[in-house]
Amino acid sequence: MALVSVSILNGDLARLADVAAVIGDARADMLHFDVMDGSFVDNLSFGLPVLSCLKPLVTLPVDVHLMIEDPLHFAERFVKAGADLLSFHIESRSDAGETLNAIHSLGIPAGIAVSPDTPEETVFPLLEKMQPEDFILMMTVRPGMGGQQFMPEVLKKIAHLRSRITALDMPLHIEVDGGINAETGARCRKAGADYLVAGSYVLCSDDPAEAVRSLKTPL
Ligand code: DX5
Ligand code: ZN
């Protein structure tokens, strides 16, 4: 069964408490919190103070996705502010092995995010350093904005990664993020993803609960 993590990026950011309530009422499994620093990606979103304010209002686990240059420098502060899962990009400036260790030592699952132009093999040497409940976040759009078109060429990367994880007999998750709806979500699940991030598909829907349900329809 896939878990659904709803991104607040395209929600009404002046009413974050209401957005969090909609996501909870829709029976999502996680709330996805996209952090952008204006350098790693050409956009700015929100960061530590917003997470600290939002956290007490959210009953779901908060899935923080760092699209920032130096995730190692900020990992501890994001965990203290309320991250329950924390992902960072393999393309960032921080050493990936050190960042993984830092997140593990803070006691939460870590995710390594891979942008569409980065070969999936880049994370293979790190898989054995990962722990159960960790995940690889395969971006299915270029990071930086919500509401973009799904990139189908990522599907074969997901399938290759899943076969590698199966061969290593590791219980790692694969999360997909960007342009996910019922149709693209099902294609990602068939390829081996089990965590689906969806932003605009859920929050721009007239029936967010139905949108979340549709992402979980048995294959
Ligand atoms: C893109 C973000 C995504 C985005 C998803 O950089 O990482 O999480 O908000 O939004 P949708 O589902 O609208 O593509
Ligand atoms: Zn994201």
Side-chain angles (χ1 to χ4, degrees), residues 7-10 32 34 36 41 65 67 139 141-148 177-180 197-201:
S7 167
I8 60 171
L9 190 61
N10 278 34
H32 187 83
D34 285 305
M36 304 179 186
V41 290
H65 174 193
M67 288 165 273
M139 292 299 300
V141 298
R142 294 207 166 77
M145 262 188 309
Q148 302 183 73
D177 184 7
I180 299 298
V197 177
S200 43
Y201 177 63

Side-chain angles (χ1 to χ4, degrees), residues 4-34:
V4 174
S5 187
V6 176
S7 167
I8 60 171
L9 190 61
N10 278 34
D12 181 347
L13 299 181
R15 293 189 170 76
L16 268 186
D18 296 342
V19 173
V22 166
I23 294 171
D25 291 347
R27 304 280 197 118
D29 301 287
M30 300 185 264
L31 182 146
H32 187 83
F33 189 92
D34 285 305

Side-chain angles (χ1 to χ4, degrees), residues 101-114:
N101 290 341
I103 298 171
H104 291 154
S105 70
L106 294 161
I108 64 165
I112 304 179
V114 180

Side-chain angles (χ1 to χ4, degrees), residues 35 37 40 48 64-79 86-100 102-103 106 111-113:
V35 181
D37 66 355
F40 181 77
L48 290 162
V64 175
H65 174 193
L66 298 180
M67 288 165 273
I68 66 176
E69 288 285 6
D70 194 357
L72 179 57
H73 182 68
F74 284 101
E76 183 170 0
R77 279 181 275 171
F78 273 100
V79 175
L86 187 60
S87 59
F88 63 94
H89 274 260
I90 186 83
E91 305 88 2
S92 74
R93 219 186 321 123
S94 303
D95 180 82
E98 269 184 63
T99 310
L100 261 186
I103 298 171
L106 294 161
I112 304 179

